[in-house]
Amino acid sequence: MLFILLFANTANIDFYFFNWLENGVYNLISPFLNVVENVISSINNYYVAFLKTGEILEENERLRKEVARLSTDNAILEEAREQNERFRDLLSFRGTVPGEPDILSTGVVGYSPATWQRMLTVNSGRNDGVKVGMPVMGYQGNLIGRVEKAGMNSSQVKLISDPEFQVGGRVARSDSRALGLVRGLPESDEEVIMENIRWDADIEEGDLIVTSAVSDNYPPGIPIGEVKKVEVGKQGLSQVAEVNLKGFQRTAEEAVIIKEW
């Protein structure tokens, strides 16, 4: 009986000792355990963030491709809309040409880089009924040139700004209708000059110049440009007018060839 009491008492002492030792060890290593736990938690967070970063990058790439596709589609639609508007403008000139002209819409595919020879190339040729000398108009309904060479499926157009180009012109005002000869200038592809105007003819700045009926090579009444300045010619026997072309030929994307009028 005494032995049991002694053992119980000793065991009770041991239990207190072990509890004290356990608490001491825990208090001693708990900071280290906290550090380890924080490191493991940080590693886990970084791992989760890494996985999410990969997903985010993939989503960003998908969105970038979608934006690029939508931008391309929008650009194509916008170009088609603008092209339709230009074609409507091309067809609107019918009222300036007497009768029912036979016209051919065509696309511009190139320009001559030479400054002394202003030409453009269209994707219509003899297979489409195109012949040398046919007048060519721009999308604003203005005269831009004539067919200089006609191939099977393409043609070269000499622009009105070419120094060798000439066409009869007149003032569009009904109370004037002054006549002259319009030709290109070697130093400019946006202006032409109108010469051989009578010294007493009524022509002034801002007048619209159109093709005249003097020549049979062009329908009368096609807009050419607007008078910029009028000067007295040599010996004061005539007048000379600087004319700003209506529409810039080198930005044309479509054209109309007048086959018959």
Side-chain angles (χ1 to χ4, degrees):
M1 185 67 177
L2 180 61
F3 174 76
I4 295 173
L5 291 174
L6 289 174
F7 177 77
N9 188 47
T10 303
N12 188 42
I13 294 173
D14 289 341
F15 288 148
Y16 283 119
F17 173 76
F18 284 120
N19 286 337
W20 172 84
L21 182 62
E22 179 183 1
N23 291 333
V25 171
Y26 178 78
N27 292 332
L28 181 65
I29 67 173
S30 62
F32 174 75
L33 294 177
N34 290 335
V35 171
V36 172
E37 183 179 359
N38 290 335
V39 170
I40 294 174
S41 177
S42 298
I43 293 174
N44 182 65
N45 291 336
Y46 280 124
Y47 179 72
V48 172
F50 176 77
L51 294 180
K52 289 186 177 295
T53 299
E55 295 176 358
I56 292 172
L57 291 175
E58 291 180 0
E59 180 68 10
N60 286 345
E61 182 64 21
R62 185 187 69 79
L63 291 175
R64 276 196 294 269
K65 290 180 179 179
E66 182 67 13
V67 169
R69 184 187 68 79
L70 292 174
S71 298
T72 301
D73 291 346
N74 183 66
I76 292 173
L77 291 173
E78 181 64 19
E79 176 62 23
R81 184 189 64 79
E82 292 179 357
Q83 188 178 58
N84 286 338
E85 290 183 357
R86 291 195 296 270
F87 278 131
R88 282 195 292 268
D89 290 338
L90 282 169
L91 297 176
S92 67
F93 84 95
R94 286 180 179 272
T96 66
V97 181
E100 291 292 330
D102 182 11
I103 64 173
L104 173 66
S105 297
T106 185
V108 176
V109 295
Y111 294 89
S112 169
T115 57
W116 64 89
Q117 187 182 43
R118 300 189 179 103
M119 309 274 286
L120 61 79
T121 303
V122 297
N123 58 5
S124 300
R126 293 197 300 272
N127 286 339
D128 306 293
V130 177
K131 297 179 182 178
V132 173
M134 289 181 171
V136 181
M137 298 181 61
Y139 65 87
Q140 292 182 333
N142 55 300
L143 182 69
I144 66 172
R146 67 168 182 266
V147 176
E148 186 74 4
K149 297 178 182 179
M152 295 299 293
N153 298 300
S154 64
S155 301
Q156 287 188 314
V157 176
K158 183 183 289 292
L159 296 175
I160 190 174
S161 58
D162 188 282
E164 296 183 359
F165 190 99
Q166 293 185 348
V167 60
R170 67 169 174 84
V171 175
R173 277 190 294 121
S174 59
D175 58 344
S176 170
R177 304 184 71 83
L179 298 174
L181 182 66
V182 177
R183 65 174 178 85
L185 294 170
E187 65 273 12
S188 176
D189 54 3
E190 297 185 43
E191 293 182 0
V192 293
I193 191 168
M194 185 171 171
E195 302 174 312
N196 300 334
I197 307 169
R198 283 177 53 93
W199 66 272
D200 59 347
D202 181 12
I203 180 172
E204 57 189 32
E205 181 181 340
D207 276 339
L208 175 65
I209 303 301
V210 298
T211 54
S212 70
V214 174
S215 174
D216 294 333
N217 296 326
Y218 302 91
I222 300 176
I224 294 175
E226 186 176 286
V227 174
K228 175 184 177 182
K229 183 171 61 174
V230 181
E231 297 178 339
V232 178
K234 294 179 180 179
Q235 287 107 25
L237 301 178
S238 64
Q239 298 182 82
V240 177
E242 295 180 12
V243 179
N244 284 327
L245 292 173
K246 182 178 173 59
F248 186 39
Q249 288 78 34
R250 288 186 180 272
T251 60
E253 298 179 50
E254 292 86 23
V256 163
I257 299 174
I258 307 175
K259 299 168 70 175
E260 291 183 8
W261 63 91

